[in-house]
Amino acid sequence: MNRFTDREDAAKQLTEKIKVKASKITIVLTMLRGGVPLGLTIADEFNIPLDVILAKKIGHPMNSEIAIGAMAEGGEPLMNDDKHVILVDDGIATGHTMFAAIESVLSKKPLSISVAVPIIPEDTFKALEKVVDNIYYVQIPEAFLGSVSAYYDNFPQFDSYNVQHLLGK
């Protein structure tokens, strides 16, 4: 199993896997909060706009890293025109949050939806394949360790201050 040093390392490795063909009509939508550093790296690399998508997992009462459900925004991110969308997060465990984000984006009629994550369990990958156009990833481990943080050496929680600082707000 390869581990990522931190989100910056994961972002660099993930960016190498991504293909953007139509940058003028592509947008990165990043999941709050941990996906923001990765989304910024991808948006900068391909010179495409970035916005956040508000999707929140509903954590298990005994372990908040395990999602038992999720909700996504009903608002309008930067998607007022038909666009290719790249949804970005720092990893996927159950996929509940990503599926909620996909559902929200689908309602906006995008040209395509891609998911970009450094780490994803095989069963979640197979489920996502059925609903998105592309999945960009660095690793699909044979046996998922139960949480995204298990694949990072340094995985601090991002609070609103960190996100605002990174987004320059």
Side-chain angles (χ1 to χ4, degrees):
M1 170 188 80
N2 294 329
R3 292 174 58 89
F4 303 105
T5 306
D6 52 22
R7 286 182 179 93
E8 184 178 333
D9 175 39
K12 287 177 186 173
Q13 291 186 50
L14 182 59
T15 300
E16 292 173 4
K17 308 285 186 184
I18 295 173
K19 310 262 186 292
V20 174
K21 295 177 184 154
S23 62
K24 292 189 185 306
I25 56 171
T26 301
I27 183 172
V28 170
L29 294 180
T30 186
M31 308 285 267
L32 279 179
R33 302 181 174 154
V36 172
L38 287 86
L40 278 168
T41 299
I42 293 165
D44 287 348
E45 176 67 25
F46 295 105
N47 195 28
I48 54 180
L50 171 104
D51 201 354
V52 297
I53 185 162
L54 303 176
K56 180 78 174 134
K57 73 179 167 188
I58 300 167
H60 188 281
M62 302 302 282
N63 183 347
S64 63
E65 268 209 57
I66 297 174
I68 59 173
M71 297 173 54
E73 69 179 318
E76 295 269 340
L78 287 176
M79 288 193 49
N80 51 1
D81 299 314
D82 289 338
K83 299 212 184 276
H84 297 285
V85 175
I86 303 173
L87 285 167
V88 179
D89 204 356
D90 55 9
I92 294 178
T94 64
H96 290 302
T97 309
M98 186 60 73
F99 281 106
I102 291 166
E103 180 113 2
S104 176
V105 170
L106 279 171
S107 70
K108 313 292 189 285
K109 310 269 190 267
L111 295 172
S112 68
I113 299 177
S114 298
V115 170
V117 291
I119 189 79
I120 183 172
E122 186 175 9
D123 59 336
T124 307
F125 177 87
K126 287 179 179 178
L128 279 173
E129 275 186 313
K130 297 174 184 171
V131 296
V132 299
D133 299 288
N134 299 296
I135 305 171
Y136 302 111
Y137 64 92
V138 178
Q139 293 183 55
I140 299 176
E142 285 185 33
F144 190 73
L145 299 177
S147 71
V148 171
S149 63
Y151 294 90
Y152 287 82
D153 292 331
N154 184 14
F155 194 74
Q157 293 301 311
F158 267 63
D159 59 19
S160 296
Y161 173 79
N162 297 117
V163 170
Q164 289 172 350
H165 176 75
L166 282 174
L167 296 176
K169 296 182 179 183

